[in-house]
């Protein structure tokens, strides 16, 4: 097997302003695993918060490629990845997730099987996704919310944590008036103190907000749990719930955990967390970083496990280089095609991918008949 990489710039259609930063673009490193004439793809994106710049991702991808070349096929490599024998100790979760995605994509194409089927979901998952409104004026937020509701979105996530707390309240009021039937989620990205959260959460509850993500600064999960015990809104841990052990400490103590493949290490790590919190009173949210359809697709294949899905990262882009999971109508879904079911938008690359998938499916049917 051989791993190659290609880096592209993902430019956002509009700046995404949250309480700690404003983002206009990020780099995406595509990992492609080649074996027996087929290719599988995964994607890792840069993140200032997680300390991943472009050069670091490229270097780590090259190291992963060196180790991957020692394996005879994607199935054995995927097993080695799950037991911690493929990537080096200390490899960032985002890189592990991207390698896993590429291997899953390749195994699915080799067996003419959609990824969700060998992850335990016989029916292709399809779910409503939240769509994010950043820290913008109430008037602009209302206009965006109205357009989203008209397009079919039933869940809207509103960023909070403005220095002017009244501006946050005004933004939510404006969205509620513009999209009265929408479910509203709130995300301050850790901007509030415990005192501010205790004051503000009842006011947002009165405005019909359904749940709040990470209201407190990460680093003190016990404080988050204490707030959740008294909050009039469900509290979803995000930045305080990165690893399996983080989830174990918070299970039953917060109402939700936002699992992002790029922070936990991929779909199998996410499924371990989902199994851990099942029945604990803590429910699963599936989130994402801003990424292309390729980067979002693995999470879509397990989206039927989540109470809340926030898988709109590809919808924030001015140009998405991949296609295959939808989302423009407020719903994302696995396509049912072999592997991750996504394809590059460019004509030549898309045709090559389609031909490879068709060949793999035909070969699989031939082996089935022969047996």
């Amino acid at each position: 097997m051989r791993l190659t990489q290609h880096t592209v710039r993902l430019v956002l259609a509009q700046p995404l302003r949250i309480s700690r930063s404003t983002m206009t673009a990020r780099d995406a490193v595509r990992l492609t695993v080649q074996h027996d004439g087929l290719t599988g793809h995964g994607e890792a994106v840069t993140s200032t918060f997680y300390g991943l710049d472009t050069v670091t991702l490229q270097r780590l991808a090259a190291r992963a490629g060196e180790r991957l070349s020692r394996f005879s096929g994607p199935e054995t490599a995927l097993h080695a990845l799950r037991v911690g024998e493929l990537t080096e100790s200390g490899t960032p979760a985002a890189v592990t997730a991207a390698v896993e995605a590429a291997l899953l994509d390749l195994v699915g194409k080799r067996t003419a099987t959609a990824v969700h089927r060998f992850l335990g979901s016989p029916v292709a998952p399809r779910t409503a996704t939240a769509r994010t409104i950043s820290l913008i004026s109430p008037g602009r937020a209302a206009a965006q919310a109205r357009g989203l509701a008209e397009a079919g979105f039933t869940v809207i996530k509103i960023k909070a944590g403005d220095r002017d707390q009244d501006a946050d309240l005004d933004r939510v009021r404006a969205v509620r008036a513009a999209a009265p039937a929408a479910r509203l989620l709130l995300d301050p990205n850790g901007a509030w103190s415990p005192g501010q959260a205790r004051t503000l959460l009842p006011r947002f509850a009165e405005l019909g907000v359904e749940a709040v993500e990470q209201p407190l600064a990460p680093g003190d999960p016990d404080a988050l749990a204490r707030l959740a015990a008294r909050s009039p809104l469900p509290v979803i841990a995000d930045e305080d719930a990165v690893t399996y052990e983080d989830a174990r400490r918070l299970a039953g103590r917060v109402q939700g955990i936002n699992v992002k493949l790029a922070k936990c290490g991929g779909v199998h790590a996410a499924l371990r967390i989902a199994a851990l919190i099942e029945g604990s009173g803590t429910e699963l949210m599936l989130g994402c970083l801003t990424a292309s359809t390729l980067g979002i697709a693995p999470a879509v294949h397990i989206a039927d496990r989540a109470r809340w899905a926030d898988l709109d990262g590809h919808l924030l882009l001015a140009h998405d280089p991949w296609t295959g999971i939808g989302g423009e109508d407020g719903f994302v879904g696995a396509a049912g095609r072999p592997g991750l079911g996504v394809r590059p938008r460019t004509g030549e690359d898309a045709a090559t991918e389609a031909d490879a998938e068709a060949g793999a499916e035909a070969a699989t049917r031939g082996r089935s008949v022969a047996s």
Side-chain angles (χ1 to χ4, degrees):
M1 285 190 302
R2 185 166 71 95
L3 184 148
T4 59
Q5 59 176 286
H6 177 68
T7 302
V8 298
R9 188 74 166 163
L10 301 177
V11 178
L12 276 66
Q14 300 178 19
L16 178 63
R17 180 181 167 226
I18 66 175
S19 60
R20 61 174 177 255
S21 63
T22 299
M23 183 176 62
T24 59
R26 73 185 341 152
D27 284 346
V29 178
R30 183 187 74 208
L31 308 185
T32 297
V33 180
Q34 300 170 304
H35 183 68
D36 284 349
L38 292 176
T39 56
H41 307 287
E43 179 181 274
V45 296
T46 55
S47 169
T48 301
F49 185 78
Y50 292 110
L52 294 174
D53 58 29
T54 307
V55 173
T56 299
L57 283 179
Q58 292 169 337
R59 174 177 56 81
L60 292 169
R63 296 288 292 273
E66 293 170 1
R67 298 173 73 90
L68 194 62
S69 65
R70 306 170 190 171
F71 292 87
S72 59
E75 293 83 4
T76 56
L78 191 58
H79 174 75
L81 184 75
R82 292 175 189 169
V83 298
E85 295 176 356
L86 175 54
T87 55
E88 298 174 297
S89 176
T91 299
V95 175
T96 301
V99 173
E100 181 198 48
L103 291 171
L104 287 170
D105 191 31
L106 182 54
V107 170
K109 290 172 180 174
R110 278 166 58 83
T111 58
T113 305
V115 164
H116 65 84
R117 294 187 65 87
F118 52 75
L119 294 177
S121 296
V123 178
R126 183 175 185 270
T127 189
T129 178
R131 181 69 156 77
T132 299
I133 292 178
S134 69
L135 293 181
I136 55 178
S137 70
R140 289 181 60 201
Q144 284 192 16
R146 190 174 299 111
L148 291 173
E150 291 172 353
F153 284 85
T154 59
V155 187
I156 297 175
K157 184 165 91 167
I158 308 165
K159 290 295 186 179
D162 202 301
R163 292 181 181 179
D164 179 359
Q165 294 173 6
D166 287 336
D168 283 341
L169 291 160
D170 290 342
R171 189 179 306 108
V172 172
R173 288 191 191 97
V175 170
R176 170 52 74 212
R183 299 163 55 199
L184 302 185
L185 305 175
L186 191 70
D187 186 8
N189 289 106
W192 296 340
S193 69
Q196 289 173 322
R198 287 192 295 270
T199 299
L200 290 169
L201 287 178
R203 301 182 68 181
F204 285 112
E206 291 173 359
L207 294 174
V209 171
E210 180 176 317
V212 59
E213 281 184 65
Q214 195 68 44
L216 306 182
D220 190 351
D222 290 334
L224 191 69
R226 288 192 296 270
L227 178 67
R230 300 188 297 272
S231 173
L233 294 175
V235 172
I236 303 169
D238 183 358
E239 288 89 345
D240 266 327
V242 175
T243 66
Y244 181 89
E245 286 304 310
D246 292 338
R248 184 183 60 78
R249 284 191 290 269
L250 285 169
R253 304 176 68 202
V254 294
Q255 287 78 29
I257 287 178
N258 186 347
V259 173
K260 298 174 182 173
L261 305 191
K263 71 176 182 178
C264 74
V267 292
H268 283 92
L271 291 174
R272 286 188 68 218
I273 293 174
L276 169 72
I277 65 177
E278 186 175 4
S280 70
T282 297
E283 297 190 80
L284 179 68
M285 179 179 192
L286 275 176
C288 64
L289 301 181
T290 303
S292 77
T293 282
L294 174 61
I296 306 297
V300 173
H301 282 266
I302 58 171
D304 52 345
R305 272 80 161 187
R307 173 177 173 180
W308 302 281
D310 180 24
L311 300 175
D312 68 338
H314 61 305
L315 302 176
L316 305 181
L317 303 179
H319 172 70
D320 182 355
W322 292 80
T323 185
I325 61 173
E328 295 81 2
D329 62 350
F331 291 82
V332 292
R337 292 191 294 269
L340 292 174
V342 301
R343 293 172 177 166
R345 285 189 186 273
T346 56
E348 183 178 343
D349 288 347
T352 300
E353 286 290 310
D355 289 345
E357 288 180 10
E361 188 171 357
T364 300
R365 284 197 302 267
R367 286 194 296 270
S368 298
V369 171
S371 63

PDB file of all heavy atoms in Angstrom, residues 3-7 29-32 54 57-63:
ATOM      1  N   LEU A   3       0.657   5.611   0.536  1.00  0.00           N
ATOM      2  CA  LEU A   3      -0.114   6.787   0.942  1.00  0.00           C
ATOM      3  C   LEU A   3       0.489   8.024   0.300  1.00  0.00           C
ATOM      4  O   LEU A   3       1.700   8.251   0.377  1.00  0.00           O
ATOM      5  CB  LEU A   3      -0.126   6.930   2.469  1.00  0.00           C
ATOM      6  CG  LEU A   3      -0.988   8.063   3.039  1.00  0.00           C
ATOM      7  CD1 LEU A   3      -1.565   7.671   4.393  1.00  0.00           C
ATOM      8  CD2 LEU A   3      -0.183   9.364   3.201  1.00  0.00           C
ATOM      9  N   THR A   4      -0.351   8.809  -0.341  1.00  0.00           N
ATOM     10  CA  THR A   4       0.059  10.100  -0.870  1.00  0.00           C
ATOM     11  C   THR A   4      -0.795  11.182  -0.219  1.00  0.00           C
ATOM     12  O   THR A   4      -1.832  10.898   0.397  1.00  0.00           O
ATOM     13  CB  THR A   4      -0.109  10.163  -2.399  1.00  0.00           C
ATOM     14  OG1 THR A   4      -1.485   9.922  -2.733  1.00  0.00           O
ATOM     15  CG2 THR A   4       0.767   9.131  -3.075  1.00  0.00           C
ATOM     16  N   GLN A   5      -0.355  12.424  -0.347  1.00  0.00           N
ATOM     17  CA  GLN A   5      -1.096  13.520   0.270  1.00  0.00           C
ATOM     18  C   GLN A   5      -1.177  14.702  -0.681  1.00  0.00           C
ATOM     19  O   GLN A   5      -0.324  14.891  -1.551  1.00  0.00           O
ATOM     20  CB  GLN A   5      -0.437  13.942   1.585  1.00  0.00           C
ATOM     21  CG  GLN A   5       1.005  14.390   1.451  1.00  0.00           C
ATOM     22  CD  GLN A   5       1.560  14.896   2.774  1.00  0.00           C
ATOM     23  OE1 GLN A   5       1.230  15.991   3.218  1.00  0.00           O
ATOM     24  NE2 GLN A   5       2.400  14.082   3.407  1.00  0.00           N
ATOM     25  N   HIS A   6      -2.219  15.486  -0.484  1.00  0.00           N
ATOM     26  CA  HIS A   6      -2.423  16.677  -1.306  1.00  0.00           C
ATOM     27  C   HIS A   6      -3.098  17.729  -0.431  1.00  0.00           C
ATOM     28  O   HIS A   6      -4.085  17.433   0.251  1.00  0.00           O
ATOM     29  CB  HIS A   6      -3.307  16.355  -2.510  1.00  0.00           C
ATOM     30  CG  HIS A   6      -3.631  17.543  -3.363  1.00  0.00           C
ATOM     31  ND1 HIS A   6      -2.668  18.196  -4.111  1.00  0.00           N
ATOM     32  CD2 HIS A   6      -4.796  18.207  -3.591  1.00  0.00           C
ATOM     33  CE1 HIS A   6      -3.233  19.202  -4.759  1.00  0.00           C
ATOM     34  NE2 HIS A   6      -4.521  19.234  -4.460  1.00  0.00           N
ATOM     35  N   THR A   7      -2.570  18.945  -0.439  1.00  0.00           N
ATOM     36  CA  THR A   7      -3.088  20.010   0.416  1.00  0.00           C
ATOM     37  C   THR A   7      -3.850  21.032  -0.412  1.00  0.00           C
ATOM     38  O   THR A   7      -3.386  21.465  -1.463  1.00  0.00           O
ATOM     39  CB  THR A   7      -1.938  20.712   1.159  1.00  0.00           C
ATOM     40  OG1 THR A   7      -1.226  19.732   1.938  1.00  0.00           O
ATOM     41  CG2 THR A   7      -2.457  21.804   2.085  1.00  0.00           C
ATOM     42  N   VAL A  29      -5.495  18.666   4.399  1.00  0.00           N
ATOM     43  CA  VAL A  29      -4.537  17.710   3.849  1.00  0.00           C
ATOM     44  C   VAL A  29      -5.295  16.419   3.547  1.00  0.00           C
ATOM     45  O   VAL A  29      -5.801  15.758   4.458  1.00  0.00           O
ATOM     46  CB  VAL A  29      -3.374  17.456   4.825  1.00  0.00           C
ATOM     47  CG1 VAL A  29      -2.417  16.412   4.235  1.00  0.00           C
ATOM     48  CG2 VAL A  29      -2.638  18.753   5.126  1.00  0.00           C
ATOM     49  N   ARG A  30      -5.397  16.104   2.274  1.00  0.00           N
ATOM     50  CA  ARG A  30      -6.079  14.877   1.854  1.00  0.00           C
ATOM     51  C   ARG A  30      -5.075  13.734   1.849  1.00  0.00           C
ATOM     52  O   ARG A  30      -4.004  13.833   1.234  1.00  0.00           O
ATOM     53  CB  ARG A  30      -6.670  15.043   0.465  1.00  0.00           C
ATOM     54  CG  ARG A  30      -7.466  13.800  -0.005  1.00  0.00           C
ATOM     55  CD  ARG A  30      -7.892  13.964  -1.450  1.00  0.00           C
ATOM     56  NE  ARG A  30      -6.761  13.785  -2.356  1.00  0.00           N
ATOM     57  CZ  ARG A  30      -6.674  14.363  -3.542  1.00  0.00           C
ATOM     58  NH1 ARG A  30      -7.606  15.204  -3.948  1.00  0.00           N
ATOM     59  NH2 ARG A  30      -5.632  14.129  -4.322  1.00  0.00           N
ATOM     60  N   LEU A  31      -5.428  12.651   2.509  1.00  0.00           N
ATOM     61  CA  LEU A  31      -4.611  11.440   2.511  1.00  0.00           C
ATOM     62  C   LEU A  31      -5.261  10.423   1.580  1.00  0.00           C
ATOM     63  O   LEU A  31      -6.454  10.128   1.707  1.00  0.00           O
ATOM     64  CB  LEU A  31      -4.515  10.857   3.927  1.00  0.00           C
ATOM     65  CG  LEU A  31      -4.083  11.812   5.045  1.00  0.00           C
ATOM     66  CD1 LEU A  31      -3.932  11.044   6.354  1.00  0.00           C
ATOM     67  CD2 LEU A  31      -2.804  12.523   4.684  1.00  0.00           C
ATOM     68  N   THR A  32      -4.488   9.874   0.666  1.00  0.00           N
ATOM     69  CA  THR A  32      -4.993   8.888  -0.288  1.00  0.00           C
ATOM     70  C   THR A  32      -4.182   7.607  -0.148  1.00  0.00           C
ATOM     71  O   THR A  32      -2.956   7.619  -0.312  1.00  0.00           O
ATOM     72  CB  THR A  32      -4.896   9.415  -1.731  1.00  0.00           C
ATOM     73  OG1 THR A  32      -5.716  10.573  -1.859  1.00  0.00           O
ATOM     74  CG2 THR A  32      -5.368   8.357  -2.729  1.00  0.00           C
ATOM     75  N   THR A  54      -0.224  23.504   8.847  1.00  0.00           N
ATOM     76  CA  THR A  54      -0.116  22.745   7.606  1.00  0.00           C
ATOM     77  C   THR A  54       1.147  21.892   7.562  1.00  0.00           C
ATOM     78  O   THR A  54       1.093  20.696   7.209  1.00  0.00           O
ATOM     79  CB  THR A  54      -0.133  23.708   6.408  1.00  0.00           C
ATOM     80  OG1 THR A  54      -1.276  24.560   6.503  1.00  0.00           O
ATOM     81  CG2 THR A  54      -0.182  22.942   5.098  1.00  0.00           C
ATOM     82  N   LEU A  57       0.847  18.835   9.833  1.00  0.00           N
ATOM     83  CA  LEU A  57      -0.017  17.801   9.262  1.00  0.00           C
ATOM     84  C   LEU A  57       0.673  17.061   8.122  1.00  0.00           C
ATOM     85  O   LEU A  57       0.592  15.828   8.035  1.00  0.00           O
ATOM     86  CB  LEU A  57      -1.316  18.419   8.764  1.00  0.00           C
ATOM     87  CG  LEU A  57      -2.363  18.791   9.805  1.00  0.00           C
ATOM     88  CD1 LEU A  57      -3.580  19.426   9.128  1.00  0.00           C
ATOM     89  CD2 LEU A  57      -2.803  17.585  10.625  1.00  0.00           C
ATOM     90  N   GLN A  58       1.359  17.791   7.265  1.00  0.00           N
ATOM     91  CA  GLN A  58       2.050  17.148   6.141  1.00  0.00           C
ATOM     92  C   GLN A  58       3.147  16.214   6.639  1.00  0.00           C
ATOM     93  O   GLN A  58       3.323  15.108   6.111  1.00  0.00           O
ATOM     94  CB  GLN A  58       2.618  18.223   5.218  1.00  0.00           C
ATOM     95  CG  GLN A  58       1.551  19.020   4.481  1.00  0.00           C
ATOM     96  CD  GLN A  58       2.112  20.246   3.780  1.00  0.00           C
ATOM     97  OE1 GLN A  58       3.174  20.754   4.152  1.00  0.00           O
ATOM     98  NE2 GLN A  58       1.407  20.730   2.773  1.00  0.00           N
ATOM     99  N   ARG A  59       3.887  16.653   7.647  1.00  0.00           N
ATOM    100  CA  ARG A  59       4.961  15.811   8.190  1.00  0.00           C
ATOM    101  C   ARG A  59       4.390  14.544   8.822  1.00  0.00           C
ATOM    102  O   ARG A  59       4.897  13.438   8.609  1.00  0.00           O
ATOM    103  CB  ARG A  59       5.761  16.611   9.220  1.00  0.00           C
ATOM    104  CG  ARG A  59       6.819  15.794   9.963  1.00  0.00           C
ATOM    105  CD  ARG A  59       7.627  16.661  10.909  1.00  0.00           C
ATOM    106  NE  ARG A  59       6.789  17.375  11.847  1.00  0.00           N
ATOM    107  CZ  ARG A  59       6.286  16.832  12.970  1.00  0.00           C
ATOM    108  NH1 ARG A  59       6.528  15.556  13.248  1.00  0.00           N
ATOM    109  NH2 ARG A  59       5.559  17.557  13.782  1.00  0.00           N
ATOM    110  N   LEU A  60       3.315  14.698   9.590  1.00  0.00           N
ATOM    111  CA  LEU A  60       2.718  13.541  10.250  1.00  0.00           C
ATOM    112  C   LEU A  60       2.081  12.589   9.240  1.00  0.00           C
ATOM    113  O   LEU A  60       2.117  11.367   9.419  1.00  0.00           O
ATOM    114  CB  LEU A  60       1.681  14.017  11.268  1.00  0.00           C
ATOM    115  CG  LEU A  60       2.248  14.755  12.484  1.00  0.00           C
ATOM    116  CD1 LEU A  60       1.123  15.403  13.284  1.00  0.00           C
ATOM    117  CD2 LEU A  60       3.048  13.802  13.366  1.00  0.00           C
ATOM    118  N   ALA A  61       1.520  13.144   8.178  1.00  0.00           N
ATOM    119  CA  ALA A  61       0.956  12.291   7.134  1.00  0.00           C
ATOM    120  C   ALA A  61       2.047  11.461   6.460  1.00  0.00           C
ATOM    121  O   ALA A  61       1.861  10.270   6.173  1.00  0.00           O
ATOM    122  CB  ALA A  61       0.217  13.143   6.100  1.00  0.00           C
ATOM    123  N   ALA A  62       3.196  12.078   6.234  1.00  0.00           N
ATOM    124  CA  ALA A  62       4.312  11.345   5.625  1.00  0.00           C
ATOM    125  C   ALA A  62       4.783  10.215   6.532  1.00  0.00           C
ATOM    126  O   ALA A  62       5.071   9.099   6.074  1.00  0.00           O
ATOM    127  CB  ALA A  62       5.452  12.301   5.315  1.00  0.00           C
ATOM    128  N   ARG A  63       4.839  10.487   7.840  1.00  0.00           N
ATOM    129  CA  ARG A  63       5.249   9.440   8.789  1.00  0.00           C
ATOM    130  C   ARG A  63       4.235   8.302   8.804  1.00  0.00           C
ATOM    131  O   ARG A  63       4.604   7.120   8.862  1.00  0.00           O
ATOM    132  CB  ARG A  63       5.386  10.038  10.193  1.00  0.00           C
ATOM    133  CG  ARG A  63       6.480  11.088  10.315  1.00  0.00           C
ATOM    134  CD  ARG A  63       7.859  10.463  10.250  1.00  0.00           C
ATOM    135  NE  ARG A  63       8.147   9.648  11.416  1.00  0.00           N
ATOM    136  CZ  ARG A  63       8.669  10.119  12.548  1.00  0.00           C
ATOM    137  NH1 ARG A  63       8.948  11.402  12.664  1.00  0.00           N
ATOM    138  NH2 ARG A  63       8.936   9.309  13.556  1.00  0.00           N
TER     139      ARG A  63
END
